[in-house]
Amino acid sequence: VRVFGDVTLGDTTFTECSATAAGGALHVDQARNNVAANNVTFDHCFVGTDGIGGGTYVSGDSAASFATVTLDAAHFHDCRAGRGGGCLALVGVQSELVAIDNSRFEQCVTNDLFRAGSVGGGVLVRGDHNHAIGVLRVFNSSFVRCAAHSGGAMYHDGSVAHKVEFTYAEMMRCTVPA
């Protein structure tokens, strides 16, 4: 599903979805106000060799608008991406808050663990100096057996979020190659 602008999802399941470049199940382009997913499952979703966001890809609007991105009770299982964000990729999103609450990222990987640009097995957060996130919050969420060349559970481009909070979060058996 490709959406331009805002999206709200509830009690939805995506199974065995794929895309070539971004967002195996959900591709949100030019998010301006709200991107919300409550009780949503992404199971066996993937993007191609150079793609990002195996389950979901969210990109920001080029204008100076602010999008609130909220995942609550989301479950990503066995999602894959070639270049980054095996489960979820947030790219160029400008937001006061990105909240990942009560969610689970399980067995999500980037396809080529030995390629340097293959980052964020579970989640990829990338931006530029024109787009910033006030707070990136991960609350009561788990990352289990996620893998990437860098950032097995999550890869966060340091120039993007002003504050990163992990509370009651678990990262179990997430790996990067030696």
Side-chain angles (χ1 to χ4, degrees):
V1 175
R2 186 167 185 179
V3 177
F4 288 88
D6 302 326
V7 64
T8 300
L9 297 170
D11 302 313
T12 305
T13 299
F14 296 91
T15 303
E16 296 181 5
C17 299
S18 65
T20 303
L26 178 64
H27 181 157
V28 182
D29 238 342
Q30 301 176 4
R32 294 184 181 162
N33 295 307
N34 293 302
V35 175
N38 184 5
N39 196 32
V40 176
T41 299
F42 299 88
D43 192 20
H44 300 289
C45 298
F46 66 93
V47 292
T49 306
D50 288 321
I52 60 175
T56 301
Y57 171 84
V58 179
S59 71
D61 186 359
S62 58
S65 61
F66 287 86
T68 299
V69 179
T70 306
L71 294 179
D72 190 11
H75 183 207
F76 293 85
H77 177 258
D78 193 28
C79 294
R80 300 172 183 276
R83 298 286 290 172
C87 296
L88 171 65
L90 302 166
V91 178
V93 173
Q94 183 159 309
S95 176
E96 287 298 317
L97 174 67
V98 170
I100 300 171
D101 298 336
N102 308 306
S103 296
R104 185 170 176 87
F105 300 84
E106 186 176 14
Q107 292 178 282
C108 297
V109 301
T110 56
N111 292 335
D112 188 351
L113 298 180
F114 296 98
R115 185 165 64 176
S118 179
V119 296
V123 177
L124 165 65
V125 182
R126 179 174 283 152
D128 56 42
H129 298 291
N130 296 323
H131 297 89
I133 296 170
V135 176
L136 171 61
R137 180 183 77 207
V138 178
F139 175 78
N140 195 35
S141 296
S142 59
F143 297 82
V144 180
R145 293 183 306 275
C146 296
H149 178 77
S150 182
M154 177 183 286
Y155 181 89
H156 167 258
D157 179 338
S159 68
V160 178
H162 296 290
K163 183 177 183 182
V164 179
E165 298 175 348
F166 286 93
T167 307
Y168 303 114
E170 291 182 297
M171 284 78 163
M172 298 178 293
R173 293 182 293 239
C174 295
T175 60
V176 295

